[in-house]
Amino acid sequence: MTSTFTAAAAGFGTGLSLIVAIGAQNAFVLRQGVRREAVLAVVGICALSDAALIALGVGGVGAVVVAWPSALTAVGWIGGAFLLGYGALAARRAIRPGGGLRAEGEAAGSARRAVLTCLALTWLNPHVYLDTVFLLGSVAADHGTLRWTFGLGAVLASLCWFTALGFGARLLGRFLAKPAAWRVMDGVLAATMIVLGAALIAGS
């Protein structure tokens, strides 16, 4: 019982250490949470995607992914281009007069775009595969027969983090009620996306 709890706790801590960082996905989830737009769908996509990738890693697919550097290179170029494009749009919102955002949700089309953007940010980032599949899979392998317990802890960490980030972001609604605050947030989002996009392309 103690070893099972230790493996799960190790998975939770390792998973949390990998996802609690300033990145494109987290910045997007935060923004959607503050807007209260498709939050459940975005949180669900992030958590379920992480669960699938962690399962692949624990199952031993990490070695196969790393064995295909050409595939990771292609994903890096595509993901980098996407991040640069999204960063440019965020920068435009930040500098365009009257481009402030509302905390309330908008039309269904916006929710659809949010879902598609979230899927792209999640699956077009090669670091997701390297970190979640390869790194977590390698660490899980060290736990032997308890590797799936370790993986379950990592999945729980992802679910807790994205739920807290997405639904807790609405607490910032009063702070971001002013258009100027939204412009600052979009400026930070744009810088994050552009830097990460350029880094992905440069490293591909």
Side-chain angles (χ1 to χ4, degrees), residues 155-192:
V155 169
L156 182 60
S158 175
L159 177 61
C160 290
W161 169 252
F162 287 118
T163 299
L165 186 64
F167 291 99
R170 65 184 58 189
L171 299 177
L172 299 175
R174 180 178 299 180
F175 172 73
L176 293 172
K178 299 180 179 179
W182 278 104
R183 295 177 69 180
V184 170
M185 183 175 180
D186 270 326
V188 173
L189 181 64
T192 301

PDB file of all heavy atoms in Angstrom, residues 155-192:
ATOM      1  N   VAL A 155      -1.569  11.566 -14.567  1.00  0.00           N
ATOM      2  CA  VAL A 155      -2.852  11.943 -15.180  1.00  0.00           C
ATOM      3  C   VAL A 155      -3.674  12.791 -14.216  1.00  0.00           C
ATOM      4  O   VAL A 155      -4.286  13.796 -14.607  1.00  0.00           O
ATOM      5  CB  VAL A 155      -3.637  10.677 -15.588  1.00  0.00           C
ATOM      6  CG1 VAL A 155      -5.071  11.041 -15.980  1.00  0.00           C
ATOM      7  CG2 VAL A 155      -2.944   9.963 -16.736  1.00  0.00           C
ATOM      8  N   LEU A 156      -3.684  12.415 -12.945  1.00  0.00           N
ATOM      9  CA  LEU A 156      -4.422  13.177 -11.930  1.00  0.00           C
ATOM     10  C   LEU A 156      -3.843  14.584 -11.780  1.00  0.00           C
ATOM     11  O   LEU A 156      -4.591  15.559 -11.621  1.00  0.00           O
ATOM     12  CB  LEU A 156      -4.369  12.444 -10.591  1.00  0.00           C
ATOM     13  CG  LEU A 156      -5.125  13.097  -9.432  1.00  0.00           C
ATOM     14  CD1 LEU A 156      -6.602  13.227  -9.757  1.00  0.00           C
ATOM     15  CD2 LEU A 156      -4.942  12.291  -8.151  1.00  0.00           C
ATOM     16  N   ALA A 157      -2.523  14.704 -11.858  1.00  0.00           N
ATOM     17  CA  ALA A 157      -1.883  16.019 -11.763  1.00  0.00           C
ATOM     18  C   ALA A 157      -2.316  16.908 -12.919  1.00  0.00           C
ATOM     19  O   ALA A 157      -2.622  18.091 -12.732  1.00  0.00           O
ATOM     20  CB  ALA A 157      -0.367  15.858 -11.761  1.00  0.00           C
ATOM     21  N   SER A 158      -2.360  16.344 -14.108  1.00  0.00           N
ATOM     22  CA  SER A 158      -2.785  17.109 -15.278  1.00  0.00           C
ATOM     23  C   SER A 158      -4.232  17.567 -15.132  1.00  0.00           C
ATOM     24  O   SER A 158      -4.560  18.732 -15.400  1.00  0.00           O
ATOM     25  CB  SER A 158      -2.632  16.239 -16.536  1.00  0.00           C
ATOM     26  OG  SER A 158      -3.137  16.904 -17.677  1.00  0.00           O
ATOM     27  N   LEU A 159      -5.106  16.662 -14.685  1.00  0.00           N
ATOM     28  CA  LEU A 159      -6.516  17.010 -14.510  1.00  0.00           C
ATOM     29  C   LEU A 159      -6.688  18.117 -13.479  1.00  0.00           C
ATOM     30  O   LEU A 159      -7.439  19.084 -13.699  1.00  0.00           O
ATOM     31  CB  LEU A 159      -7.299  15.763 -14.082  1.00  0.00           C
ATOM     32  CG  LEU A 159      -8.782  15.970 -13.786  1.00  0.00           C
ATOM     33  CD1 LEU A 159      -9.519  16.461 -15.017  1.00  0.00           C
ATOM     34  CD2 LEU A 159      -9.406  14.664 -13.283  1.00  0.00           C
ATOM     35  N   CYS A 160      -5.993  18.005 -12.360  1.00  0.00           N
ATOM     36  CA  CYS A 160      -6.090  19.026 -11.303  1.00  0.00           C
ATOM     37  C   CYS A 160      -5.590  20.374 -11.793  1.00  0.00           C
ATOM     38  O   CYS A 160      -6.206  21.419 -11.535  1.00  0.00           O
ATOM     39  CB  CYS A 160      -5.299  18.582 -10.079  1.00  0.00           C
ATOM     40  SG  CYS A 160      -6.009  17.189  -9.183  1.00  0.00           S
ATOM     41  N   TRP A 161      -4.469  20.379 -12.507  1.00  0.00           N
ATOM     42  CA  TRP A 161      -3.869  21.626 -12.954  1.00  0.00           C
ATOM     43  C   TRP A 161      -4.765  22.355 -13.951  1.00  0.00           C
ATOM     44  O   TRP A 161      -5.061  23.535 -13.791  1.00  0.00           O
ATOM     45  CB  TRP A 161      -2.501  21.377 -13.558  1.00  0.00           C
ATOM     46  CG  TRP A 161      -1.954  22.579 -14.264  1.00  0.00           C
ATOM     47  CD1 TRP A 161      -1.819  22.770 -15.599  1.00  0.00           C
ATOM     48  CD2 TRP A 161      -1.487  23.789 -13.648  1.00  0.00           C
ATOM     49  NE1 TRP A 161      -1.305  24.012 -15.872  1.00  0.00           N
ATOM     50  CE2 TRP A 161      -1.094  24.658 -14.694  1.00  0.00           C
ATOM     51  CE3 TRP A 161      -1.364  24.207 -12.326  1.00  0.00           C
ATOM     52  CZ2 TRP A 161      -0.577  25.925 -14.442  1.00  0.00           C
ATOM     53  CZ3 TRP A 161      -0.864  25.483 -12.078  1.00  0.00           C
ATOM     54  CH2 TRP A 161      -0.468  26.317 -13.125  1.00  0.00           C
ATOM     55  N   PHE A 162      -5.201  21.657 -14.981  1.00  0.00           N
ATOM     56  CA  PHE A 162      -5.995  22.320 -16.012  1.00  0.00           C
ATOM     57  C   PHE A 162      -7.369  22.732 -15.488  1.00  0.00           C
ATOM     58  O   PHE A 162      -7.905  23.763 -15.904  1.00  0.00           O
ATOM     59  CB  PHE A 162      -6.128  21.423 -17.249  1.00  0.00           C
ATOM     60  CG  PHE A 162      -4.871  21.328 -18.053  1.00  0.00           C
ATOM     61  CD1 PHE A 162      -4.227  20.110 -18.231  1.00  0.00           C
ATOM     62  CD2 PHE A 162      -4.310  22.458 -18.626  1.00  0.00           C
ATOM     63  CE1 PHE A 162      -3.061  20.020 -18.965  1.00  0.00           C
ATOM     64  CE2 PHE A 162      -3.137  22.386 -19.363  1.00  0.00           C
ATOM     65  CZ  PHE A 162      -2.509  21.165 -19.529  1.00  0.00           C
ATOM     66  N   THR A 163      -7.927  21.958 -14.579  1.00  0.00           N
ATOM     67  CA  THR A 163      -9.199  22.345 -13.974  1.00  0.00           C
ATOM     68  C   THR A 163      -9.033  23.621 -13.147  1.00  0.00           C
ATOM     69  O   THR A 163      -9.844  24.553 -13.246  1.00  0.00           O
ATOM     70  CB  THR A 163      -9.732  21.213 -13.077  1.00  0.00           C
ATOM     71  OG1 THR A 163      -9.941  20.040 -13.871  1.00  0.00           O
ATOM     72  CG2 THR A 163     -11.042  21.622 -12.420  1.00  0.00           C
ATOM     73  N   ALA A 164      -7.978  23.666 -12.346  1.00  0.00           N
ATOM     74  CA  ALA A 164      -7.722  24.851 -11.527  1.00  0.00           C
ATOM     75  C   ALA A 164      -7.415  26.064 -12.396  1.00  0.00           C
ATOM     76  O   ALA A 164      -7.894  27.175 -12.131  1.00  0.00           O
ATOM     77  CB  ALA A 164      -6.559  24.586 -10.568  1.00  0.00           C
ATOM     78  N   LEU A 165      -6.637  25.861 -13.460  1.00  0.00           N
ATOM     79  CA  LEU A 165      -6.250  26.973 -14.328  1.00  0.00           C
ATOM     80  C   LEU A 165      -7.441  27.504 -15.106  1.00  0.00           C
ATOM     81  O   LEU A 165      -7.662  28.717 -15.186  1.00  0.00           O
ATOM     82  CB  LEU A 165      -5.147  26.515 -15.293  1.00  0.00           C
ATOM     83  CG  LEU A 165      -4.518  27.586 -16.185  1.00  0.00           C
ATOM     84  CD1 LEU A 165      -3.781  28.617 -15.328  1.00  0.00           C
ATOM     85  CD2 LEU A 165      -3.550  26.946 -17.178  1.00  0.00           C
ATOM     86  N   GLY A 166      -8.229  26.598 -15.677  1.00  0.00           N
ATOM     87  CA  GLY A 166      -9.354  27.023 -16.502  1.00  0.00           C
ATOM     88  C   GLY A 166     -10.483  27.644 -15.710  1.00  0.00           C
ATOM     89  O   GLY A 166     -10.966  28.731 -16.032  1.00  0.00           O
ATOM     90  N   PHE A 167     -10.910  26.955 -14.637  1.00  0.00           N
ATOM     91  CA  PHE A 167     -12.067  27.443 -13.878  1.00  0.00           C
ATOM     92  C   PHE A 167     -11.672  28.442 -12.800  1.00  0.00           C
ATOM     93  O   PHE A 167     -12.501  29.234 -12.349  1.00  0.00           O
ATOM     94  CB  PHE A 167     -12.814  26.263 -13.260  1.00  0.00           C
ATOM     95  CG  PHE A 167     -13.516  25.407 -14.273  1.00  0.00           C
ATOM     96  CD1 PHE A 167     -12.945  24.231 -14.719  1.00  0.00           C
ATOM     97  CD2 PHE A 167     -14.732  25.798 -14.804  1.00  0.00           C
ATOM     98  CE1 PHE A 167     -13.579  23.439 -15.664  1.00  0.00           C
ATOM     99  CE2 PHE A 167     -15.384  25.023 -15.747  1.00  0.00           C
ATOM    100  CZ  PHE A 167     -14.792  23.841 -16.192  1.00  0.00           C
ATOM    101  N   GLY A 168     -10.413  28.425 -12.381  1.00  0.00           N
ATOM    102  CA  GLY A 168      -9.952  29.402 -11.395  1.00  0.00           C
ATOM    103  C   GLY A 168      -9.628  30.742 -12.018  1.00  0.00           C
ATOM    104  O   GLY A 168      -9.582  31.762 -11.326  1.00  0.00           O
ATOM    105  N   ALA A 169      -9.423  30.765 -13.341  1.00  0.00           N
ATOM    106  CA  ALA A 169      -9.056  32.004 -14.015  1.00  0.00           C
ATOM    107  C   ALA A 169     -10.152  33.055 -13.939  1.00  0.00           C
ATOM    108  O   ALA A 169      -9.880  34.255 -14.018  1.00  0.00           O
ATOM    109  CB  ALA A 169      -8.715  31.717 -15.481  1.00  0.00           C
ATOM    110  N   ARG A 170     -11.402  32.603 -13.765  1.00  0.00           N
ATOM    111  CA  ARG A 170     -12.507  33.573 -13.720  1.00  0.00           C
ATOM    112  C   ARG A 170     -12.394  34.516 -12.521  1.00  0.00           C
ATOM    113  O   ARG A 170     -13.031  35.569 -12.487  1.00  0.00           O
ATOM    114  CB  ARG A 170     -13.841  32.849 -13.698  1.00  0.00           C
ATOM    115  CG  ARG A 170     -14.095  32.004 -12.454  1.00  0.00           C
ATOM    116  CD  ARG A 170     -15.410  31.252 -12.584  1.00  0.00           C
ATOM    117  NE  ARG A 170     -15.405  30.397 -13.758  1.00  0.00           N
ATOM    118  CZ  ARG A 170     -16.487  29.754 -14.207  1.00  0.00           C
ATOM    119  NH1 ARG A 170     -17.638  29.917 -13.593  1.00  0.00           N
ATOM    120  NH2 ARG A 170     -16.404  28.992 -15.274  1.00  0.00           N
ATOM    121  N   LEU A 171     -11.589  34.124 -11.527  1.00  0.00           N
ATOM    122  CA  LEU A 171     -11.370  35.004 -10.380  1.00  0.00           C
ATOM    123  C   LEU A 171     -10.640  36.273 -10.794  1.00  0.00           C
ATOM    124  O   LEU A 171     -10.639  37.266 -10.066  1.00  0.00           O
ATOM    125  CB  LEU A 171     -10.568  34.272  -9.300  1.00  0.00           C
ATOM    126  CG  LEU A 171     -11.227  33.014  -8.711  1.00  0.00           C
ATOM    127  CD1 LEU A 171     -10.285  32.347  -7.716  1.00  0.00           C
ATOM    128  CD2 LEU A 171     -12.548  33.372  -8.044  1.00  0.00           C
ATOM    129  N   LEU A 172      -9.996  36.232 -11.975  1.00  0.00           N
ATOM    130  CA  LEU A 172      -9.294  37.414 -12.478  1.00  0.00           C
ATOM    131  C   LEU A 172     -10.221  38.319 -13.280  1.00  0.00           C
ATOM    132  O   LEU A 172      -9.774  39.337 -13.796  1.00  0.00           O
ATOM    133  CB  LEU A 172      -8.120  36.981 -13.369  1.00  0.00           C
ATOM    134  CG  LEU A 172      -7.030  36.134 -12.704  1.00  0.00           C
ATOM    135  CD1 LEU A 172      -6.008  35.683 -13.743  1.00  0.00           C
ATOM    136  CD2 LEU A 172      -6.345  36.926 -11.608  1.00  0.00           C
ATOM    137  N   GLY A 173     -11.493  37.916 -13.383  1.00  0.00           N
ATOM    138  CA  GLY A 173     -12.421  38.677 -14.215  1.00  0.00           C
ATOM    139  C   GLY A 173     -12.519  40.142 -13.835  1.00  0.00           C
ATOM    140  O   GLY A 173     -12.529  41.020 -14.699  1.00  0.00           O
ATOM    141  N   ARG A 174     -12.584  40.442 -12.534  1.00  0.00           N
ATOM    142  CA  ARG A 174     -12.696  41.843 -12.104  1.00  0.00           C
ATOM    143  C   ARG A 174     -11.442  42.620 -12.462  1.00  0.00           C
ATOM    144  O   ARG A 174     -11.501  43.760 -12.903  1.00  0.00           O
ATOM    145  CB  ARG A 174     -12.937  41.900 -10.600  1.00  0.00           C
ATOM    146  CG  ARG A 174     -13.066  43.307 -10.052  1.00  0.00           C
ATOM    147  CD  ARG A 174     -13.355  43.288  -8.561  1.00  0.00           C
ATOM    148  NE  ARG A 174     -14.615  42.595  -8.281  1.00  0.00           N
ATOM    149  CZ  ARG A 174     -15.101  42.445  -7.058  1.00  0.00           C
ATOM    150  NH1 ARG A 174     -14.434  42.909  -6.003  1.00  0.00           N
ATOM    151  NH2 ARG A 174     -16.247  41.814  -6.867  1.00  0.00           N
ATOM    152  N   PHE A 175     -10.279  41.965 -12.295  1.00  0.00           N
ATOM    153  CA  PHE A 175      -9.015  42.631 -12.620  1.00  0.00           C
ATOM    154  C   PHE A 175      -8.917  42.919 -14.107  1.00  0.00           C
ATOM    155  O   PHE A 175      -8.378  43.951 -14.526  1.00  0.00           O
ATOM    156  CB  PHE A 175      -7.843  41.748 -12.184  1.00  0.00           C
ATOM    157  CG  PHE A 175      -6.510  42.252 -12.646  1.00  0.00           C
ATOM    158  CD1 PHE A 175      -5.919  43.363 -12.071  1.00  0.00           C
ATOM    159  CD2 PHE A 175      -5.852  41.615 -13.686  1.00  0.00           C
ATOM    160  CE1 PHE A 175      -4.688  43.827 -12.505  1.00  0.00           C
ATOM    161  CE2 PHE A 175      -4.619  42.077 -14.137  1.00  0.00           C
ATOM    162  CZ  PHE A 175      -4.042  43.183 -13.533  1.00  0.00           C
ATOM    163  N   LEU A 176      -9.474  42.002 -14.915  1.00  0.00           N
ATOM    164  CA  LEU A 176      -9.361  42.152 -16.362  1.00  0.00           C
ATOM    165  C   LEU A 176     -10.611  42.779 -16.982  1.00  0.00           C
ATOM    166  O   LEU A 176     -10.855  42.628 -18.169  1.00  0.00           O
ATOM    167  CB  LEU A 176      -9.110  40.781 -16.996  1.00  0.00           C
ATOM    168  CG  LEU A 176      -7.749  40.149 -16.656  1.00  0.00           C
ATOM    169  CD1 LEU A 176      -7.689  38.723 -17.164  1.00  0.00           C
ATOM    170  CD2 LEU A 176      -6.614  40.961 -17.256  1.00  0.00           C
ATOM    171  N   ALA A 177     -11.395  43.464 -16.165  1.00  0.00           N
ATOM    172  CA  ALA A 177     -12.599  44.099 -16.686  1.00  0.00           C
ATOM    173  C   ALA A 177     -12.264  45.258 -17.618  1.00  0.00           C
ATOM    174  O   ALA A 177     -13.037  45.595 -18.512  1.00  0.00           O
ATOM    175  CB  ALA A 177     -13.467  44.597 -15.530  1.00  0.00           C
ATOM    176  N   LYS A 178     -11.098  45.862 -17.428  1.00  0.00           N
ATOM    177  CA  LYS A 178     -10.701  46.995 -18.262  1.00  0.00           C
ATOM    178  C   LYS A 178      -9.999  46.504 -19.529  1.00  0.00           C
ATOM    179  O   LYS A 178      -9.194  45.579 -19.482  1.00  0.00           O
ATOM    180  CB  LYS A 178      -9.774  47.919 -17.475  1.00  0.00           C
ATOM    181  CG  LYS A 178     -10.407  48.516 -16.229  1.00  0.00           C
ATOM    182  CD  LYS A 178      -9.430  49.416 -15.492  1.00  0.00           C
ATOM    183  CE  LYS A 178     -10.067  50.026 -14.253  1.00  0.00           C
ATOM    184  NZ  LYS A 178      -9.117  50.892 -13.515  1.00  0.00           N
ATOM    185  N   PRO A 179     -10.291  47.136 -20.675  1.00  0.00           N
ATOM    186  CA  PRO A 179      -9.645  46.747 -21.924  1.00  0.00           C
ATOM    187  C   PRO A 179      -8.120  46.801 -21.849  1.00  0.00           C
ATOM    188  O   PRO A 179      -7.436  45.987 -22.475  1.00  0.00           O
ATOM    189  CB  PRO A 179     -10.186  47.779 -22.930  1.00  0.00           C
ATOM    190  CG  PRO A 179     -11.501  48.185 -22.363  1.00  0.00           C
ATOM    191  CD  PRO A 179     -11.312  48.176 -20.868  1.00  0.00           C
ATOM    192  N   ALA A 180      -7.581  47.747 -21.074  1.00  0.00           N
ATOM    193  CA  ALA A 180      -6.119  47.867 -20.973  1.00  0.00           C
ATOM    194  C   ALA A 180      -5.506  46.607 -20.380  1.00  0.00           C
ATOM    195  O   ALA A 180      -4.436  46.153 -20.801  1.00  0.00           O
ATOM    196  CB  ALA A 180      -5.768  49.084 -20.118  1.00  0.00           C
ATOM    197  N   ALA A 181      -6.201  46.012 -19.403  1.00  0.00           N
ATOM    198  CA  ALA A 181      -5.682  44.791 -18.782  1.00  0.00           C
ATOM    199  C   ALA A 181      -5.691  43.636 -19.771  1.00  0.00           C
ATOM    200  O   ALA A 181      -4.771  42.817 -19.813  1.00  0.00           O
ATOM    201  CB  ALA A 181      -6.516  44.447 -17.549  1.00  0.00           C
ATOM    202  N   TRP A 182      -6.750  43.571 -20.605  1.00  0.00           N
ATOM    203  CA  TRP A 182      -6.813  42.533 -21.629  1.00  0.00           C
ATOM    204  C   TRP A 182      -5.688  42.702 -22.642  1.00  0.00           C
ATOM    205  O   TRP A 182      -5.115  41.722 -23.130  1.00  0.00           O
ATOM    206  CB  TRP A 182      -8.156  42.589 -22.348  1.00  0.00           C
ATOM    207  CG  TRP A 182      -9.260  41.905 -21.616  1.00  0.00           C
ATOM    208  CD1 TRP A 182     -10.258  42.495 -20.906  1.00  0.00           C
ATOM    209  CD2 TRP A 182      -9.466  40.505 -21.510  1.00  0.00           C
ATOM    210  NE1 TRP A 182     -11.075  41.539 -20.358  1.00  0.00           N
ATOM    211  CE2 TRP A 182     -10.616  40.310 -20.726  1.00  0.00           C
ATOM    212  CE3 TRP A 182      -8.786  39.382 -22.002  1.00  0.00           C
ATOM    213  CZ2 TRP A 182     -11.107  39.044 -20.424  1.00  0.00           C
ATOM    214  CZ3 TRP A 182      -9.284  38.118 -21.705  1.00  0.00           C
ATOM    215  CH2 TRP A 182     -10.429  37.963 -20.925  1.00  0.00           C
ATOM    216  N   ARG A 183      -5.379  43.958 -22.948  1.00  0.00           N
ATOM    217  CA  ARG A 183      -4.317  44.204 -23.920  1.00  0.00           C
ATOM    218  C   ARG A 183      -2.970  43.757 -23.369  1.00  0.00           C
ATOM    219  O   ARG A 183      -2.127  43.242 -24.098  1.00  0.00           O
ATOM    220  CB  ARG A 183      -4.304  45.688 -24.303  1.00  0.00           C
ATOM    221  CG  ARG A 183      -5.568  46.128 -25.040  1.00  0.00           C
ATOM    222  CD  ARG A 183      -5.581  47.610 -25.338  1.00  0.00           C
ATOM    223  NE  ARG A 183      -4.583  47.960 -26.329  1.00  0.00           N
ATOM    224  CZ  ARG A 183      -4.398  49.207 -26.772  1.00  0.00           C
ATOM    225  NH1 ARG A 183      -5.133  50.191 -26.288  1.00  0.00           N
ATOM    226  NH2 ARG A 183      -3.487  49.458 -27.675  1.00  0.00           N
ATOM    227  N   VAL A 184      -2.770  43.961 -22.066  1.00  0.00           N
ATOM    228  CA  VAL A 184      -1.533  43.481 -21.446  1.00  0.00           C
ATOM    229  C   VAL A 184      -1.471  41.957 -21.509  1.00  0.00           C
ATOM    230  O   VAL A 184      -0.437  41.365 -21.846  1.00  0.00           O
ATOM    231  CB  VAL A 184      -1.437  43.963 -19.984  1.00  0.00           C
ATOM    232  CG1 VAL A 184      -0.277  43.274 -19.273  1.00  0.00           C
ATOM    233  CG2 VAL A 184      -1.255  45.473 -19.934  1.00  0.00           C
ATOM    234  N   MET A 185      -2.597  41.316 -21.210  1.00  0.00           N
ATOM    235  CA  MET A 185      -2.637  39.860 -21.235  1.00  0.00           C
ATOM    236  C   MET A 185      -2.377  39.336 -22.644  1.00  0.00           C
ATOM    237  O   MET A 185      -1.629  38.371 -22.837  1.00  0.00           O
ATOM    238  CB  MET A 185      -4.000  39.370 -20.737  1.00  0.00           C
ATOM    239  CG  MET A 185      -4.094  37.856 -20.659  1.00  0.00           C
ATOM    240  SD  MET A 185      -5.657  37.302 -19.946  1.00  0.00           S
ATOM    241  CE  MET A 185      -5.401  35.524 -20.024  1.00  0.00           C
ATOM    242  N   ASP A 186      -3.002  39.947 -23.648  1.00  0.00           N
ATOM    243  CA  ASP A 186      -2.760  39.529 -25.019  1.00  0.00           C
ATOM    244  C   ASP A 186      -1.317  39.801 -25.439  1.00  0.00           C
ATOM    245  O   ASP A 186      -0.745  39.063 -26.235  1.00  0.00           O
ATOM    246  CB  ASP A 186      -3.726  40.256 -25.973  1.00  0.00           C
ATOM    247  CG  ASP A 186      -5.017  39.469 -26.164  1.00  0.00           C
ATOM    248  OD1 ASP A 186      -4.959  38.228 -26.151  1.00  0.00           O
ATOM    249  OD2 ASP A 186      -6.068  40.100 -26.322  1.00  0.00           O
ATOM    250  N   GLY A 187      -0.728  40.876 -24.901  1.00  0.00           N
ATOM    251  CA  GLY A 187       0.664  41.157 -25.192  1.00  0.00           C
ATOM    252  C   GLY A 187       1.584  40.072 -24.654  1.00  0.00           C
ATOM    253  O   GLY A 187       2.515  39.618 -25.337  1.00  0.00           O
ATOM    254  N   VAL A 188       1.312  39.636 -23.426  1.00  0.00           N
ATOM    255  CA  VAL A 188       2.098  38.542 -22.832  1.00  0.00           C
ATOM    256  C   VAL A 188       1.880  37.257 -23.616  1.00  0.00           C
ATOM    257  O   VAL A 188       2.825  36.502 -23.883  1.00  0.00           O
ATOM    258  CB  VAL A 188       1.706  38.347 -21.354  1.00  0.00           C
ATOM    259  CG1 VAL A 188       2.391  37.108 -20.777  1.00  0.00           C
ATOM    260  CG2 VAL A 188       2.068  39.582 -20.543  1.00  0.00           C
ATOM    261  N   LEU A 189       0.626  37.000 -24.000  1.00  0.00           N
ATOM    262  CA  LEU A 189       0.305  35.802 -24.772  1.00  0.00           C
ATOM    263  C   LEU A 189       1.029  35.832 -26.116  1.00  0.00           C
ATOM    264  O   LEU A 189       1.596  34.820 -26.551  1.00  0.00           O
ATOM    265  CB  LEU A 189      -1.207  35.727 -24.989  1.00  0.00           C
ATOM    266  CG  LEU A 189      -1.735  34.507 -25.757  1.00  0.00           C
ATOM    267  CD1 LEU A 189      -1.463  33.239 -24.961  1.00  0.00           C
ATOM    268  CD2 LEU A 189      -3.220  34.650 -26.039  1.00  0.00           C
ATOM    269  N   ALA A 190       1.021  36.997 -26.776  1.00  0.00           N
ATOM    270  CA  ALA A 190       1.688  37.120 -28.065  1.00  0.00           C
ATOM    271  C   ALA A 190       3.183  36.861 -27.937  1.00  0.00           C
ATOM    272  O   ALA A 190       3.775  36.127 -28.743  1.00  0.00           O
ATOM    273  CB  ALA A 190       1.442  38.515 -28.650  1.00  0.00           C
ATOM    274  N   ALA A 191       3.810  37.453 -26.918  1.00  0.00           N
ATOM    275  CA  ALA A 191       5.243  37.252 -26.719  1.00  0.00           C
ATOM    276  C   ALA A 191       5.570  35.786 -26.467  1.00  0.00           C
ATOM    277  O   ALA A 191       6.529  35.232 -27.016  1.00  0.00           O
ATOM    278  CB  ALA A 191       5.730  38.116 -25.555  1.00  0.00           C
ATOM    279  N   THR A 192       4.729  35.134 -25.641  1.00  0.00           N
ATOM    280  CA  THR A 192       4.942  33.718 -25.332  1.00  0.00           C
ATOM    281  C   THR A 192       4.834  32.865 -26.580  1.00  0.00           C
ATOM    282  O   THR A 192       5.698  32.016 -26.860  1.00  0.00           O
ATOM    283  CB  THR A 192       3.916  33.232 -24.292  1.00  0.00           C
ATOM    284  OG1 THR A 192       4.043  34.013 -23.104  1.00  0.00           O
ATOM    285  CG2 THR A 192       4.140  31.764 -23.960  1.00  0.00           C
TER     286      THR A 192
END
